[in-house]
């Protein structure tokens, strides 16, 4: 279970780029007339809405453990004329199990926060009925400077007490391990990796990106330590992290004089349909 809170506004700073893996993931789900679709870790709900629009005859349920994210999603639905088949609720995925009527489970960039989540996934796959679809995307960028630096800095003497165990929250398996999990549960599997080359603008765009997701637990731990001990750990950490990111990622200048930072991001996609008489993926 997460012991940090999400900031929906910061998370949506790069909304379009965060949405692209979701679109690529759900494009491989070929359910034609599902009745119940669940988006686990729905965040602010903007992409869950696309599922409700795609399957107007389905009950589309967005679930998230963050009260702030669920409130943001409900506000989005109420203020933007979202389809009537769309709903949101606060649920901890580690305590959730699909009902027998669930036809599609989608989870985008959530499971990496759950250590040993393959066991959790096994339970979901077992509960799904024949013909049901399962589609998950997780980041696979933990060896990149943006994420490796988070791990390295958490071990520095000045930060190690405040950040003890924080990096252990992210775990991603190999594609072979995900394939084995789906096949063992009777699924026809479609698993692949993609690295998106993302040109980002701004003076510290890599920091801006990770501060809305991977870096958030560390920042909140440091903020709490500062309040408790009267230190300025978070400010020092952010300054050093920004410097390392500026040195780690190449920048380019467009003919119009706009400076861009290339931020590659690897993603792992896991899609499967439970075997019955359904057509092949």
């Amino acid at each position: 279970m997460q012991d940090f809170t999400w900031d929906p506004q910061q998370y949506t700073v790069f909304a379009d780029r965060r949405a692209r893996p979701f679109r690529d993931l759900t494009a491989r789900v070929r359910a034609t007339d599902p009745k119940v679709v669940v988006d686990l870790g729905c965040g602010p709900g903007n992409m869950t809405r696309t599922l409700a629009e795609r399957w107007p005859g389905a009950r589309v349920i967005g679930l998230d453990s963050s009260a702030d994210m669920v409130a943001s999603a409900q506000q989005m639905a109420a203020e933007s004329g979202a389809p009537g088949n769309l709903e949101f609720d606060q649920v901890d995925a580690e305590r959730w199990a699909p009902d027998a009527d669930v036809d599609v489970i989608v989870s985008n960039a959530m499971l990496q926060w759950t250590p040993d989540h393959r066991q959790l996934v096994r339970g979901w796959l077992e509960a799904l009925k024949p013909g049901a679809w399962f589609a998950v995307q997780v980041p696979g960028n933990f060896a990149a400077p943006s994420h490796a630096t988070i791990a390295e800095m958490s071990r520095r003497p000045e930060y190690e007490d405040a950040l003890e165990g924080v990096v252990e929250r992210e775990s991603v398996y190999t594609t072979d391990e995900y394939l084995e999990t789906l096949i063992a549960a009777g699924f026809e599997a479609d698993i692949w990796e993609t690295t998106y080359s993302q040109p980002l603008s701004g003076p510290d765009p890599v920091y801006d990106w990770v501060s809305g997701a991977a870096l958030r637990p560390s920042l909140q731990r440091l903020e709490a330590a500062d309040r408790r001990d009267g230190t300025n750990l978070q400010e020092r950490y952010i300054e050093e992290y920004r410097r390392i990111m500026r040195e780690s990622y190449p920048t380019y200048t467009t003919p119009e004089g706009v400076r861009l930072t290339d931020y590659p991001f690897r993603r792992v996609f896991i899609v499967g349909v439970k075997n019955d008489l359904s057509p092949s993926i």
Side-chain angles (χ1 to χ4, degrees):
M1 181 185 296
Q2 299 166 2
D3 63 356
F4 61 94
T5 58
W6 288 100
D7 180 350
Q9 184 175 357
Q10 180 63 33
Y11 188 81
T12 56
V13 167
F14 297 99
D16 183 64
R17 294 188 185 278
R18 293 192 191 279
R20 184 179 174 186
F22 186 99
R23 293 193 296 264
D24 291 347
L25 174 72
T26 56
R28 296 296 295 165
V29 177
R30 297 181 180 175
T32 55
D33 188 27
K35 302 305 179 187
V36 180
V37 176
V38 175
D39 181 7
L40 281 172
C42 65
N46 53 315
M47 296 311 298
T48 316
R49 176 176 178 161
T50 67
L51 302 180
E53 293 167 345
R54 175 179 174 180
W55 292 302
R59 179 187 176 201
V60 177
I61 309 165
L63 303 176
D64 203 287
S65 63
S66 166
D68 291 336
M69 284 294 196
V70 171
S72 179
Q74 290 172 334
Q75 181 179 5
M76 175 278 299
E79 295 179 352
S80 63
N85 61 327
L86 178 64
E87 60 189 85
F88 298 97
D89 198 6
Q90 184 180 1
V91 172
D92 183 348
E94 295 182 60
R95 294 178 171 83
W96 177 84
D99 295 331
D101 59 350
V102 172
D103 298 294
V104 178
I105 293 177
V106 174
S107 182
N108 186 62
M110 181 204 73
L111 281 176
Q112 74 275 11
W113 298 106
T114 304
D116 305 319
H117 61 254
R118 198 155 63 130
Q119 184 62 34
L120 184 65
V121 167
R122 288 191 185 102
W124 296 343
L125 298 178
E126 182 178 349
L128 290 174
K129 59 189 175 183
W133 286 80
F134 179 77
V136 168
Q137 180 271 128
V138 288
N141 224 36
F142 304 118
S146 58
H147 290 60
T149 300
I150 297 173
E152 184 275 322
M153 291 183 69
S154 73
R155 295 189 292 268
R156 295 187 184 182
E158 63 267 39
Y159 304 124
E160 61 181 355
D161 288 343
L163 299 180
E164 182 180 3
V166 71
V167 178
E168 296 172 6
R169 297 185 175 279
E170 296 180 307
S171 63
V172 171
Y173 295 92
T174 67
T175 53
D176 288 345
E177 288 171 319
Y178 286 120
L179 178 63
E180 178 186 17
T181 300
L182 263 65
I183 290 176
F187 278 69
E188 186 174 353
D190 182 14
I191 298 176
W192 72 98
E193 300 178 10
T194 297
T195 298
Y196 298 94
S197 184
Q198 303 179 137
L200 306 179
S201 61
D204 291 295
V206 176
Y207 168 78
D208 293 339
W209 177 283
V210 295
S211 66
L215 194 58
R216 189 157 180 80
S218 298
L219 296 180
Q220 289 199 330
R221 288 276 199 92
L222 293 168
E223 182 182 22
D226 287 346
R227 289 197 306 266
R228 182 183 65 247
D229 304 328
T231 56
N232 65 337
L233 288 176
Q234 188 192 69
E235 181 181 350
R236 288 160 49 196
Y237 182 101
I238 291 173
E239 182 179 355
E240 176 68 1
Y241 185 87
R242 283 174 167 166
R243 181 189 65 77
I244 295 172
M245 292 306 99
R246 287 193 293 266
E247 294 174 354
S248 299
Y249 289 92
T251 60
Y252 308 92
T253 303
T254 70
E256 296 76 23
V258 177
R259 187 178 180 184
L260 299 175
T261 299
D262 181 21
Y263 181 50
F265 205 113
R266 174 177 169 263
R267 306 275 184 168
V268 180
F269 297 82
I270 306 102
V271 176
V273 58
K274 199 160 191 177
N275 286 324
D276 65 348
L277 299 179
S278 301
S280 297
I281 293 178

